[in-house]
Amino acid sequence: MEIWINPRCGKCRSALNELTGAGAEFTVRRYLEDPPSVAELEQVLVRLGLEPWDIVRIEEPVAKDLGMKQWGREAGDRAAWLAAMAEHPILIQRPIITADDGHAVVARTPEAVRSVLP
C-alpha cells in the first residue's frame, strides 16, 4: 500500500495516524517532492474510477492562474488536465492511498482510509 501525502496537510496526517494505528504496512510518497508522472496519474485515476478534474484542487492559486475552472471536462481534455497535474503536483487532491488489492481512494475521511485496510 502507498499513500501520497503533503506533510503539511492535516487530512494527510490523520490518514497516516489511522493507517499506523491499524498496524498497516505502507509506503509514504511525498508527492510534492516526488511528483507522479502522467502515466502514474492515469493508472491511479483508473484505480480510483475518476477523471483528472475529479481530483484537482481547483481553488489552488496555480489552478486559478491557469483558469482551470473554465477548462473542458471531456475525454479530449484529459491530457491537458494530466499535464497540469504532473507539472504542478500541488493540484492533486490528497491524500491518495493505493491499496494492495488494486483499488485506490482519496482518503479525506477516516472511513475512506479504513476502506483500504485488510
Side-chain angles (χ1 to χ4, degrees):
M1 180 175 339
E2 182 175 75
I3 181 170
W4 293 4
I5 67 156
N6 173 348
R8 297 180 62 201
C9 168
K11 299 277 186 191
C12 293
R13 290 191 303 272
S14 294
L16 289 172
N17 288 338
E18 189 82 29
L19 291 174
T20 301
E25 292 185 26
F26 59 93
T27 302
V28 172
R29 181 173 184 171
R30 294 180 177 209
Y31 72 96
L32 297 178
E33 299 165 19
D34 181 16
S37 66
V38 168
E40 288 175 300
L41 288 167
E42 288 175 329
Q43 291 170 358
V44 165
L45 287 164
V46 167
R47 292 173 78 171
L48 288 168
L50 298 172
E51 293 293 340
W53 43 86
D54 296 328
I55 65 165
V56 165
R57 298 173 57 83
I58 206 75
E59 295 300 322
E60 283 291 331
V62 69
K64 290 179 180 182
D65 291 346
L66 294 170
M68 293 180 84
K69 277 189 179 181
Q70 286 74 43
W71 287 18
R73 289 174 165 81
E74 301 294 326
D77 302 312
R78 292 180 97 254
W81 287 84
L82 290 164
M85 293 163 66
E87 185 175 344
H88 307 284
I90 193 72
L91 293 170
I92 302 168
Q93 190 58 262
R94 60 187 180 250
I96 293 177
I97 300 174
T98 54
D100 292 337
D101 68 2
H103 86 284
V105 295
V106 178
R108 297 192 55 78
T109 65
E111 295 79 22
V113 175
R114 286 193 290 272
S115 76
V116 300
L117 295 173

PDB file of all heavy atoms in Angstrom, residues 17-56:
ATOM      1  N   ASN A  17      -2.015   8.581  10.673  1.00  0.00           N
ATOM      2  CA  ASN A  17      -2.306   8.102  12.027  1.00  0.00           C
ATOM      3  C   ASN A  17      -3.273   6.926  12.005  1.00  0.00           C
ATOM      4  O   ASN A  17      -3.106   5.967  12.756  1.00  0.00           O
ATOM      5  CB  ASN A  17      -2.874   9.237  12.885  1.00  0.00           C
ATOM      6  CG  ASN A  17      -1.834  10.269  13.250  1.00  0.00           C
ATOM      7  OD1 ASN A  17      -0.643   9.994  13.235  1.00  0.00           O
ATOM      8  ND2 ASN A  17      -2.289  11.475  13.552  1.00  0.00           N
ATOM      9  N   GLU A  18      -4.274   7.004  11.134  1.00  0.00           N
ATOM     10  CA  GLU A  18      -5.259   5.913  11.014  1.00  0.00           C
ATOM     11  C   GLU A  18      -4.569   4.626  10.535  1.00  0.00           C
ATOM     12  O   GLU A  18      -4.801   3.546  11.081  1.00  0.00           O
ATOM     13  CB  GLU A  18      -6.362   6.333  10.047  1.00  0.00           C
ATOM     14  CG  GLU A  18      -7.533   5.404   9.985  1.00  0.00           C
ATOM     15  CD  GLU A  18      -8.544   5.617  11.095  1.00  0.00           C
ATOM     16  OE1 GLU A  18      -8.690   6.730  11.610  1.00  0.00           O
ATOM     17  OE2 GLU A  18      -9.198   4.614  11.438  1.00  0.00           O
ATOM     18  N   LEU A  19      -3.727   4.746   9.499  1.00  0.00           N
ATOM     19  CA  LEU A  19      -3.011   3.580   8.977  1.00  0.00           C
ATOM     20  C   LEU A  19      -2.068   2.997  10.024  1.00  0.00           C
ATOM     21  O   LEU A  19      -2.016   1.780  10.218  1.00  0.00           O
ATOM     22  CB  LEU A  19      -2.231   3.948   7.714  1.00  0.00           C
ATOM     23  CG  LEU A  19      -3.048   4.281   6.471  1.00  0.00           C
ATOM     24  CD1 LEU A  19      -2.124   4.761   5.353  1.00  0.00           C
ATOM     25  CD2 LEU A  19      -3.862   3.086   6.012  1.00  0.00           C
ATOM     26  N   THR A  20      -1.320   3.876  10.683  1.00  0.00           N
ATOM     27  CA  THR A  20      -0.370   3.423  11.701  1.00  0.00           C
ATOM     28  C   THR A  20      -1.109   2.753  12.852  1.00  0.00           C
ATOM     29  O   THR A  20      -0.703   1.685  13.324  1.00  0.00           O
ATOM     30  CB  THR A  20       0.472   4.607  12.203  1.00  0.00           C
ATOM     31  OG1 THR A  20       1.172   5.181  11.088  1.00  0.00           O
ATOM     32  CG2 THR A  20       1.476   4.169  13.249  1.00  0.00           C
ATOM     33  N   GLY A  21      -2.195   3.371  13.292  1.00  0.00           N
ATOM     34  CA  GLY A  21      -2.988   2.809  14.390  1.00  0.00           C
ATOM     35  C   GLY A  21      -3.561   1.446  14.067  1.00  0.00           C
ATOM     36  O   GLY A  21      -3.745   0.619  14.960  1.00  0.00           O
ATOM     37  N   ALA A  22      -3.828   1.202  12.789  1.00  0.00           N
ATOM     38  CA  ALA A  22      -4.367  -0.090  12.358  1.00  0.00           C
ATOM     39  C   ALA A  22      -3.266  -1.120  12.129  1.00  0.00           C
ATOM     40  O   ALA A  22      -3.554  -2.264  11.794  1.00  0.00           O
ATOM     41  CB  ALA A  22      -5.185   0.089  11.081  1.00  0.00           C
ATOM     42  N   GLY A  23      -2.013  -0.687  12.263  1.00  0.00           N
ATOM     43  CA  GLY A  23      -0.893  -1.613  12.043  1.00  0.00           C
ATOM     44  C   GLY A  23      -0.665  -1.932  10.578  1.00  0.00           C
ATOM     45  O   GLY A  23      -0.040  -2.944  10.250  1.00  0.00           O
ATOM     46  N   ALA A  24      -1.139  -1.087   9.695  1.00  0.00           N
ATOM     47  CA  ALA A  24      -0.992  -1.322   8.253  1.00  0.00           C
ATOM     48  C   ALA A  24       0.458  -1.093   7.817  1.00  0.00           C
ATOM     49  O   ALA A  24       1.154  -0.241   8.367  1.00  0.00           O
ATOM     50  CB  ALA A  24      -1.909  -0.392   7.469  1.00  0.00           C
ATOM     51  N   GLU A  25       0.862  -1.872   6.829  1.00  0.00           N
ATOM     52  CA  GLU A  25       2.172  -1.663   6.215  1.00  0.00           C
ATOM     53  C   GLU A  25       1.960  -0.798   4.985  1.00  0.00           C
ATOM     54  O   GLU A  25       1.099  -1.104   4.150  1.00  0.00           O
ATOM     55  CB  GLU A  25       2.802  -2.995   5.820  1.00  0.00           C
ATOM     56  CG  GLU A  25       3.187  -3.842   7.024  1.00  0.00           C
ATOM     57  CD  GLU A  25       3.923  -5.105   6.610  1.00  0.00           C
ATOM     58  OE1 GLU A  25       4.560  -5.124   5.540  1.00  0.00           O
ATOM     59  OE2 GLU A  25       3.834  -6.076   7.377  1.00  0.00           O
ATOM     60  N   PHE A  26       2.730   0.294   4.896  1.00  0.00           N
ATOM     61  CA  PHE A  26       2.550   1.207   3.778  1.00  0.00           C
ATOM     62  C   PHE A  26       3.825   1.978   3.511  1.00  0.00           C
ATOM     63  O   PHE A  26       4.706   2.070   4.361  1.00  0.00           O
ATOM     64  CB  PHE A  26       1.386   2.173   4.038  1.00  0.00           C
ATOM     65  CG  PHE A  26       1.556   3.027   5.277  1.00  0.00           C
ATOM     66  CD1 PHE A  26       2.117   4.283   5.202  1.00  0.00           C
ATOM     67  CD2 PHE A  26       1.132   2.551   6.513  1.00  0.00           C
ATOM     68  CE1 PHE A  26       2.273   5.071   6.337  1.00  0.00           C
ATOM     69  CE2 PHE A  26       1.281   3.320   7.662  1.00  0.00           C
ATOM     70  CZ  PHE A  26       1.858   4.579   7.570  1.00  0.00           C
ATOM     71  N   THR A  27       3.886   2.519   2.317  1.00  0.00           N
ATOM     72  CA  THR A  27       4.981   3.381   1.890  1.00  0.00           C
ATOM     73  C   THR A  27       4.424   4.791   1.748  1.00  0.00           C
ATOM     74  O   THR A  27       3.323   4.974   1.238  1.00  0.00           O
ATOM     75  CB  THR A  27       5.529   2.914   0.522  1.00  0.00           C
ATOM     76  OG1 THR A  27       5.948   1.564   0.642  1.00  0.00           O
ATOM     77  CG2 THR A  27       6.685   3.777   0.069  1.00  0.00           C
ATOM     78  N   VAL A  28       5.201   5.765   2.195  1.00  0.00           N
ATOM     79  CA  VAL A  28       4.803   7.156   2.085  1.00  0.00           C
ATOM     80  C   VAL A  28       5.479   7.777   0.872  1.00  0.00           C
ATOM     81  O   VAL A  28       6.685   7.612   0.680  1.00  0.00           O
ATOM     82  CB  VAL A  28       5.182   7.953   3.349  1.00  0.00           C
ATOM     83  CG1 VAL A  28       4.937   9.449   3.161  1.00  0.00           C
ATOM     84  CG2 VAL A  28       4.432   7.426   4.562  1.00  0.00           C
ATOM     85  N   ARG A  29       4.695   8.460   0.072  1.00  0.00           N
ATOM     86  CA  ARG A  29       5.236   9.215  -1.059  1.00  0.00           C
ATOM     87  C   ARG A  29       4.874  10.678  -0.861  1.00  0.00           C
ATOM     88  O   ARG A  29       3.697  11.038  -0.860  1.00  0.00           O
ATOM     89  CB  ARG A  29       4.666   8.720  -2.376  1.00  0.00           C
ATOM     90  CG  ARG A  29       5.227   9.481  -3.574  1.00  0.00           C
ATOM     91  CD  ARG A  29       4.766   8.852  -4.851  1.00  0.00           C
ATOM     92  NE  ARG A  29       5.357   9.495  -6.008  1.00  0.00           N
ATOM     93  CZ  ARG A  29       5.241   9.025  -7.238  1.00  0.00           C
ATOM     94  NH1 ARG A  29       4.573   7.910  -7.457  1.00  0.00           N
ATOM     95  NH2 ARG A  29       5.790   9.663  -8.240  1.00  0.00           N
ATOM     96  N   ARG A  30       5.877  11.487  -0.688  1.00  0.00           N
ATOM     97  CA  ARG A  30       5.676  12.932  -0.594  1.00  0.00           C
ATOM     98  C   ARG A  30       5.604  13.454  -2.026  1.00  0.00           C
ATOM     99  O   ARG A  30       6.612  13.771  -2.627  1.00  0.00           O
ATOM    100  CB  ARG A  30       6.802  13.582   0.195  1.00  0.00           C
ATOM    101  CG  ARG A  30       6.793  13.159   1.640  1.00  0.00           C
ATOM    102  CD  ARG A  30       7.915  13.806   2.407  1.00  0.00           C
ATOM    103  NE  ARG A  30       7.820  13.417   3.806  1.00  0.00           N
ATOM    104  CZ  ARG A  30       8.229  14.161   4.809  1.00  0.00           C
ATOM    105  NH1 ARG A  30       8.766  15.345   4.573  1.00  0.00           N
ATOM    106  NH2 ARG A  30       8.099  13.733   6.035  1.00  0.00           N
ATOM    107  N   TYR A  31       4.398  13.492  -2.534  1.00  0.00           N
ATOM    108  CA  TYR A  31       4.206  13.707  -3.963  1.00  0.00           C
ATOM    109  C   TYR A  31       4.597  15.105  -4.447  1.00  0.00           C
ATOM    110  O   TYR A  31       4.774  15.301  -5.648  1.00  0.00           O
ATOM    111  CB  TYR A  31       2.779  13.361  -4.379  1.00  0.00           C
ATOM    112  CG  TYR A  31       1.739  14.341  -3.927  1.00  0.00           C
ATOM    113  CD1 TYR A  31       1.299  15.349  -4.781  1.00  0.00           C
ATOM    114  CD2 TYR A  31       1.196  14.273  -2.651  1.00  0.00           C
ATOM    115  CE1 TYR A  31       0.344  16.260  -4.369  1.00  0.00           C
ATOM    116  CE2 TYR A  31       0.246  15.171  -2.241  1.00  0.00           C
ATOM    117  CZ  TYR A  31      -0.167  16.164  -3.095  1.00  0.00           C
ATOM    118  OH  TYR A  31      -1.105  17.067  -2.684  1.00  0.00           O
ATOM    119  N   LEU A  32       4.765  16.058  -3.533  1.00  0.00           N
ATOM    120  CA  LEU A  32       5.253  17.377  -3.959  1.00  0.00           C
ATOM    121  C   LEU A  32       6.745  17.321  -4.257  1.00  0.00           C
ATOM    122  O   LEU A  32       7.240  18.039  -5.120  1.00  0.00           O
ATOM    123  CB  LEU A  32       4.967  18.437  -2.895  1.00  0.00           C
ATOM    124  CG  LEU A  32       3.499  18.706  -2.594  1.00  0.00           C
ATOM    125  CD1 LEU A  32       3.358  19.738  -1.488  1.00  0.00           C
ATOM    126  CD2 LEU A  32       2.758  19.152  -3.845  1.00  0.00           C
ATOM    127  N   GLU A  33       7.458  16.452  -3.537  1.00  0.00           N
ATOM    128  CA  GLU A  33       8.891  16.270  -3.747  1.00  0.00           C
ATOM    129  C   GLU A  33       9.183  15.222  -4.812  1.00  0.00           C
ATOM    130  O   GLU A  33      10.219  15.260  -5.465  1.00  0.00           O
ATOM    131  CB  GLU A  33       9.558  15.854  -2.429  1.00  0.00           C
ATOM    132  CG  GLU A  33       9.422  16.881  -1.331  1.00  0.00           C
ATOM    133  CD  GLU A  33       9.745  16.316   0.047  1.00  0.00           C
ATOM    134  OE1 GLU A  33      10.403  15.252   0.136  1.00  0.00           O
ATOM    135  OE2 GLU A  33       9.326  16.941   1.037  1.00  0.00           O
ATOM    136  N   ASP A  34       8.298  14.272  -4.955  1.00  0.00           N
ATOM    137  CA  ASP A  34       8.432  13.165  -5.913  1.00  0.00           C
ATOM    138  C   ASP A  34       7.139  13.088  -6.732  1.00  0.00           C
ATOM    139  O   ASP A  34       6.314  12.204  -6.526  1.00  0.00           O
ATOM    140  CB  ASP A  34       8.672  11.865  -5.134  1.00  0.00           C
ATOM    141  CG  ASP A  34       8.841  10.659  -6.029  1.00  0.00           C
ATOM    142  OD1 ASP A  34       9.078  10.823  -7.246  1.00  0.00           O
ATOM    143  OD2 ASP A  34       8.717   9.529  -5.505  1.00  0.00           O
ATOM    144  N   PRO A  35       6.953  14.062  -7.646  1.00  0.00           N
ATOM    145  CA  PRO A  35       5.680  14.145  -8.371  1.00  0.00           C
ATOM    146  C   PRO A  35       5.423  12.929  -9.256  1.00  0.00           C
ATOM    147  O   PRO A  35       6.341  12.384  -9.867  1.00  0.00           O
ATOM    148  CB  PRO A  35       5.826  15.395  -9.242  1.00  0.00           C
ATOM    149  CG  PRO A  35       7.035  16.108  -8.769  1.00  0.00           C
ATOM    150  CD  PRO A  35       7.887  15.115  -8.042  1.00  0.00           C
ATOM    151  N   PRO A  36       4.159  12.526  -9.328  1.00  0.00           N
ATOM    152  CA  PRO A  36       3.819  11.425 -10.225  1.00  0.00           C
ATOM    153  C   PRO A  36       3.882  11.878 -11.680  1.00  0.00           C
ATOM    154  O   PRO A  36       3.621  13.038 -11.990  1.00  0.00           O
ATOM    155  CB  PRO A  36       2.390  11.062  -9.829  1.00  0.00           C
ATOM    156  CG  PRO A  36       1.850  12.304  -9.204  1.00  0.00           C
ATOM    157  CD  PRO A  36       3.013  13.012  -8.578  1.00  0.00           C
ATOM    158  N   SER A  37       4.220  10.938 -12.546  1.00  0.00           N
ATOM    159  CA  SER A  37       4.225  11.202 -13.981  1.00  0.00           C
ATOM    160  C   SER A  37       2.786  11.166 -14.499  1.00  0.00           C
ATOM    161  O   SER A  37       1.867  10.712 -13.799  1.00  0.00           O
ATOM    162  CB  SER A  37       5.049  10.138 -14.702  1.00  0.00           C
ATOM    163  OG  SER A  37       4.404   8.875 -14.584  1.00  0.00           O
ATOM    164  N   VAL A  38       2.609  11.589 -15.720  1.00  0.00           N
ATOM    165  CA  VAL A  38       1.297  11.493 -16.353  1.00  0.00           C
ATOM    166  C   VAL A  38       0.836  10.040 -16.359  1.00  0.00           C
ATOM    167  O   VAL A  38      -0.325   9.738 -16.046  1.00  0.00           O
ATOM    168  CB  VAL A  38       1.323  12.097 -17.776  1.00  0.00           C
ATOM    169  CG1 VAL A  38       0.060  11.742 -18.539  1.00  0.00           C
ATOM    170  CG2 VAL A  38       1.499  13.617 -17.706  1.00  0.00           C
ATOM    171  N   ALA A  39       1.737   9.115 -16.688  1.00  0.00           N
ATOM    172  CA  ALA A  39       1.367   7.689 -16.719  1.00  0.00           C
ATOM    173  C   ALA A  39       0.931   7.200 -15.342  1.00  0.00           C
ATOM    174  O   ALA A  39      -0.059   6.459 -15.222  1.00  0.00           O
ATOM    175  CB  ALA A  39       2.535   6.851 -17.238  1.00  0.00           C
ATOM    176  N   GLU A  40       1.635   7.608 -14.290  1.00  0.00           N
ATOM    177  CA  GLU A  40       1.239   7.212 -12.936  1.00  0.00           C
ATOM    178  C   GLU A  40      -0.121   7.801 -12.564  1.00  0.00           C
ATOM    179  O   GLU A  40      -0.942   7.126 -11.952  1.00  0.00           O
ATOM    180  CB  GLU A  40       2.286   7.673 -11.915  1.00  0.00           C
ATOM    181  CG  GLU A  40       3.574   6.892 -11.956  1.00  0.00           C
ATOM    182  CD  GLU A  40       4.599   7.468 -11.006  1.00  0.00           C
ATOM    183  OE1 GLU A  40       4.976   8.655 -11.151  1.00  0.00           O
ATOM    184  OE2 GLU A  40       5.027   6.718 -10.101  1.00  0.00           O
ATOM    185  N   LEU A  41      -0.348   9.051 -12.933  1.00  0.00           N
ATOM    186  CA  LEU A  41      -1.643   9.670 -12.670  1.00  0.00           C
ATOM    187  C   LEU A  41      -2.761   8.920 -13.382  1.00  0.00           C
ATOM    188  O   LEU A  41      -3.823   8.675 -12.803  1.00  0.00           O
ATOM    189  CB  LEU A  41      -1.634  11.134 -13.089  1.00  0.00           C
ATOM    190  CG  LEU A  41      -0.821  12.069 -12.194  1.00  0.00           C
ATOM    191  CD1 LEU A  41      -0.615  13.409 -12.875  1.00  0.00           C
ATOM    192  CD2 LEU A  41      -1.505  12.238 -10.841  1.00  0.00           C
ATOM    193  N   GLU A  42      -2.512   8.540 -14.638  1.00  0.00           N
ATOM    194  CA  GLU A  42      -3.518   7.782 -15.385  1.00  0.00           C
ATOM    195  C   GLU A  42      -3.842   6.469 -14.680  1.00  0.00           C
ATOM    196  O   GLU A  42      -5.010   6.091 -14.564  1.00  0.00           O
ATOM    197  CB  GLU A  42      -3.046   7.523 -16.812  1.00  0.00           C
ATOM    198  CG  GLU A  42      -3.060   8.762 -17.678  1.00  0.00           C
ATOM    199  CD  GLU A  42      -2.473   8.545 -19.058  1.00  0.00           C
ATOM    200  OE1 GLU A  42      -1.560   7.699 -19.214  1.00  0.00           O
ATOM    201  OE2 GLU A  42      -2.932   9.236 -19.987  1.00  0.00           O
ATOM    202  N   GLN A  43      -2.805   5.768 -14.194  1.00  0.00           N
ATOM    203  CA  GLN A  43      -3.019   4.498 -13.504  1.00  0.00           C
ATOM    204  C   GLN A  43      -3.824   4.691 -12.220  1.00  0.00           C
ATOM    205  O   GLN A  43      -4.740   3.915 -11.928  1.00  0.00           O
ATOM    206  CB  GLN A  43      -1.681   3.839 -13.187  1.00  0.00           C
ATOM    207  CG  GLN A  43      -0.949   3.337 -14.415  1.00  0.00           C
ATOM    208  CD  GLN A  43       0.475   2.902 -14.100  1.00  0.00           C
ATOM    209  OE1 GLN A  43       0.942   3.012 -12.975  1.00  0.00           O
ATOM    210  NE2 GLN A  43       1.160   2.403 -15.120  1.00  0.00           N
ATOM    211  N   VAL A  44      -3.482   5.722 -11.463  1.00  0.00           N
ATOM    212  CA  VAL A  44      -4.198   5.984 -10.212  1.00  0.00           C
ATOM    213  C   VAL A  44      -5.648   6.354 -10.502  1.00  0.00           C
ATOM    214  O   VAL A  44      -6.561   5.910  -9.798  1.00  0.00           O
ATOM    215  CB  VAL A  44      -3.478   7.072  -9.381  1.00  0.00           C
ATOM    216  CG1 VAL A  44      -4.368   7.625  -8.285  1.00  0.00           C
ATOM    217  CG2 VAL A  44      -2.203   6.498  -8.782  1.00  0.00           C
ATOM    218  N   LEU A  45      -5.884   7.137 -11.530  1.00  0.00           N
ATOM    219  CA  LEU A  45      -7.258   7.503 -11.885  1.00  0.00           C
ATOM    220  C   LEU A  45      -8.091   6.280 -12.260  1.00  0.00           C
ATOM    221  O   LEU A  45      -9.266   6.192 -11.886  1.00  0.00           O
ATOM    222  CB  LEU A  45      -7.267   8.541 -13.007  1.00  0.00           C
ATOM    223  CG  LEU A  45      -6.845   9.939 -12.566  1.00  0.00           C
ATOM    224  CD1 LEU A  45      -6.501  10.799 -13.770  1.00  0.00           C
ATOM    225  CD2 LEU A  45      -7.914  10.585 -11.715  1.00  0.00           C
ATOM    226  N   VAL A  46      -7.491   5.335 -12.964  1.00  0.00           N
ATOM    227  CA  VAL A  46      -8.200   4.089 -13.284  1.00  0.00           C
ATOM    228  C   VAL A  46      -8.563   3.375 -11.986  1.00  0.00           C
ATOM    229  O   VAL A  46      -9.706   2.928 -11.805  1.00  0.00           O
ATOM    230  CB  VAL A  46      -7.350   3.186 -14.209  1.00  0.00           C
ATOM    231  CG1 VAL A  46      -7.922   1.778 -14.279  1.00  0.00           C
ATOM    232  CG2 VAL A  46      -7.239   3.796 -15.595  1.00  0.00           C
ATOM    233  N   ARG A  47      -7.619   3.292 -11.082  1.00  0.00           N
ATOM    234  CA  ARG A  47      -7.864   2.614  -9.811  1.00  0.00           C
ATOM    235  C   ARG A  47      -8.911   3.341  -8.974  1.00  0.00           C
ATOM    236  O   ARG A  47      -9.691   2.711  -8.258  1.00  0.00           O
ATOM    237  CB  ARG A  47      -6.557   2.464  -9.030  1.00  0.00           C
ATOM    238  CG  ARG A  47      -5.603   1.488  -9.709  1.00  0.00           C
ATOM    239  CD  ARG A  47      -4.254   1.465  -9.057  1.00  0.00           C
ATOM    240  NE  ARG A  47      -4.302   0.683  -7.827  1.00  0.00           N
ATOM    241  CZ  ARG A  47      -3.231   0.340  -7.130  1.00  0.00           C
ATOM    242  NH1 ARG A  47      -2.026   0.704  -7.557  1.00  0.00           N
ATOM    243  NH2 ARG A  47      -3.345  -0.359  -6.030  1.00  0.00           N
ATOM    244  N   LEU A  48      -8.927   4.675  -9.064  1.00  0.00           N
ATOM    245  CA  LEU A  48      -9.915   5.466  -8.338  1.00  0.00           C
ATOM    246  C   LEU A  48     -11.289   5.441  -9.008  1.00  0.00           C
ATOM    247  O   LEU A  48     -12.297   5.710  -8.363  1.00  0.00           O
ATOM    248  CB  LEU A  48      -9.460   6.929  -8.241  1.00  0.00           C
ATOM    249  CG  LEU A  48      -8.306   7.261  -7.304  1.00  0.00           C
ATOM    250  CD1 LEU A  48      -7.803   8.672  -7.562  1.00  0.00           C
ATOM    251  CD2 LEU A  48      -8.732   7.086  -5.851  1.00  0.00           C
ATOM    252  N   GLY A  49     -11.297   5.164 -10.326  1.00  0.00           N
ATOM    253  CA  GLY A  49     -12.538   5.243 -11.080  1.00  0.00           C
ATOM    254  C   GLY A  49     -12.987   6.686 -11.281  1.00  0.00           C
ATOM    255  O   GLY A  49     -14.183   6.966 -11.331  1.00  0.00           O
ATOM    256  N   LEU A  50     -12.012   7.600 -11.384  1.00  0.00           N
ATOM    257  CA  LEU A  50     -12.299   9.024 -11.504  1.00  0.00           C
ATOM    258  C   LEU A  50     -11.613   9.626 -12.723  1.00  0.00           C
ATOM    259  O   LEU A  50     -10.776   8.985 -13.348  1.00  0.00           O
ATOM    260  CB  LEU A  50     -11.828   9.772 -10.251  1.00  0.00           C
ATOM    261  CG  LEU A  50     -12.488   9.370  -8.925  1.00  0.00           C
ATOM    262  CD1 LEU A  50     -11.792  10.054  -7.761  1.00  0.00           C
ATOM    263  CD2 LEU A  50     -13.969   9.703  -8.938  1.00  0.00           C
ATOM    264  N   GLU A  51     -11.964  10.855 -13.018  1.00  0.00           N
ATOM    265  CA  GLU A  51     -11.338  11.628 -14.087  1.00  0.00           C
ATOM    266  C   GLU A  51     -10.377  12.638 -13.458  1.00  0.00           C
ATOM    267  O   GLU A  51     -10.514  12.959 -12.270  1.00  0.00           O
ATOM    268  CB  GLU A  51     -12.410  12.357 -14.914  1.00  0.00           C
ATOM    269  CG  GLU A  51     -13.302  11.432 -15.709  1.00  0.00           C
ATOM    270  CD  GLU A  51     -12.572  10.707 -16.829  1.00  0.00           C
ATOM    271  OE1 GLU A  51     -11.486  11.158 -17.256  1.00  0.00           O
ATOM    272  OE2 GLU A  51     -13.091   9.680 -17.286  1.00  0.00           O
ATOM    273  N   PRO A  52      -9.435  13.169 -14.235  1.00  0.00           N
ATOM    274  CA  PRO A  52      -8.463  14.106 -13.653  1.00  0.00           C
ATOM    275  C   PRO A  52      -9.122  15.286 -12.939  1.00  0.00           C
ATOM    276  O   PRO A  52      -8.697  15.671 -11.846  1.00  0.00           O
ATOM    277  CB  PRO A  52      -7.642  14.582 -14.849  1.00  0.00           C
ATOM    278  CG  PRO A  52      -7.870  13.590 -15.920  1.00  0.00           C
ATOM    279  CD  PRO A  52      -9.185  12.931 -15.645  1.00  0.00           C
ATOM    280  N   TRP A  53     -10.156  15.852 -13.530  1.00  0.00           N
ATOM    281  CA  TRP A  53     -10.807  17.020 -12.929  1.00  0.00           C
ATOM    282  C   TRP A  53     -11.496  16.694 -11.618  1.00  0.00           C
ATOM    283  O   TRP A  53     -11.786  17.575 -10.834  1.00  0.00           O
ATOM    284  CB  TRP A  53     -11.782  17.669 -13.912  1.00  0.00           C
ATOM    285  CG  TRP A  53     -12.632  16.690 -14.663  1.00  0.00           C
ATOM    286  CD1 TRP A  53     -13.821  16.147 -14.268  1.00  0.00           C
ATOM    287  CD2 TRP A  53     -12.342  16.124 -15.945  1.00  0.00           C
ATOM    288  NE1 TRP A  53     -14.291  15.282 -15.224  1.00  0.00           N
ATOM    289  CE2 TRP A  53     -13.399  15.244 -16.279  1.00  0.00           C
ATOM    290  CE3 TRP A  53     -11.294  16.275 -16.857  1.00  0.00           C
ATOM    291  CZ2 TRP A  53     -13.445  14.527 -17.465  1.00  0.00           C
ATOM    292  CZ3 TRP A  53     -11.338  15.563 -18.031  1.00  0.00           C
ATOM    293  CH2 TRP A  53     -12.400  14.688 -18.325  1.00  0.00           C
ATOM    294  N   ASP A  54     -11.716  15.402 -11.351  1.00  0.00           N
ATOM    295  CA  ASP A  54     -12.329  14.993 -10.089  1.00  0.00           C
ATOM    296  C   ASP A  54     -11.366  15.082  -8.916  1.00  0.00           C
ATOM    297  O   ASP A  54     -11.813  15.120  -7.759  1.00  0.00           O
ATOM    298  CB  ASP A  54     -12.854  13.553 -10.180  1.00  0.00           C
ATOM    299  CG  ASP A  54     -13.972  13.384 -11.185  1.00  0.00           C
ATOM    300  OD1 ASP A  54     -14.759  14.326 -11.374  1.00  0.00           O
ATOM    301  OD2 ASP A  54     -14.041  12.290 -11.803  1.00  0.00           O
ATOM    302  N   ILE A  55     -10.058  15.073  -9.184  1.00  0.00           N
ATOM    303  CA  ILE A  55      -9.084  15.092  -8.091  1.00  0.00           C
ATOM    304  C   ILE A  55      -8.180  16.327  -8.134  1.00  0.00           C
ATOM    305  O   ILE A  55      -7.122  16.347  -7.505  1.00  0.00           O
ATOM    306  CB  ILE A  55      -8.246  13.797  -8.031  1.00  0.00           C
ATOM    307  CG1 ILE A  55      -7.360  13.629  -9.254  1.00  0.00           C
ATOM    308  CG2 ILE A  55      -9.138  12.586  -7.794  1.00  0.00           C
ATOM    309  CD1 ILE A  55      -6.268  12.584  -9.077  1.00  0.00           C
ATOM    310  N   VAL A  56      -8.598  17.348  -8.843  1.00  0.00           N
ATOM    311  CA  VAL A  56      -7.825  18.591  -8.875  1.00  0.00           C
ATOM    312  C   VAL A  56      -8.321  19.526  -7.775  1.00  0.00           C
ATOM    313  O   VAL A  56      -9.524  19.685  -7.579  1.00  0.00           O
ATOM    314  CB  VAL A  56      -7.931  19.285 -10.253  1.00  0.00           C
ATOM    315  CG1 VAL A  56      -7.448  20.720 -10.198  1.00  0.00           C
ATOM    316  CG2 VAL A  56      -7.105  18.518 -11.280  1.00  0.00           C
TER     317      VAL A  56
END
